[in-house]
Amino acid sequence: MADSARAAALSPLPAAVQADLDAFCDTLWLSDGLSRNTLAAYRRDLALFARWLHAAHGIAPAEAQAAHLHAYLA
């Protein structure tokens, strides 16, 4: 992992992004009854994407376009 990617992965999430992540995971738990481990994995994956998105493009996940997701997965 490159140094900039490592730094992005360790940086704290902005409070608004963390609140959105919490609300999303709460909704998943309430509607789908997912296990604690599944929710933790979703939260971790989304947090990594949010950190990368902020570091690479300076935007929040709610502003992401399909091209951002493609770039992240590439």
Side-chain angles (χ1 to χ4, degrees):
M1 184 183 297
D3 289 339
S4 61
R6 183 173 290 117
L10 299 175
S11 65
L13 288 172
V17 173
Q18 185 63 51
D20 287 348
L21 234 161
D22 291 342
F24 178 76
C25 288
D26 288 347
T27 300
L28 281 178
W29 179 77
L30 289 172
S31 64
D32 294 337
L34 298 175
S35 76
R36 193 173 293 221
N37 287 341
T38 299
L39 287 173
Y42 283 7
R43 181 182 304 274
R44 184 176 48 253
D45 291 345
L46 289 170
L48 287 171
F49 175 63
R51 286 183 184 102
W52 174 85
L53 194 59
H54 181 70
H57 301 283
I59 62 173
E63 302 170 70
Q65 302 292 315
H68 296 118
L69 185 57
H70 289 279
Y72 177 71
L73 293 174

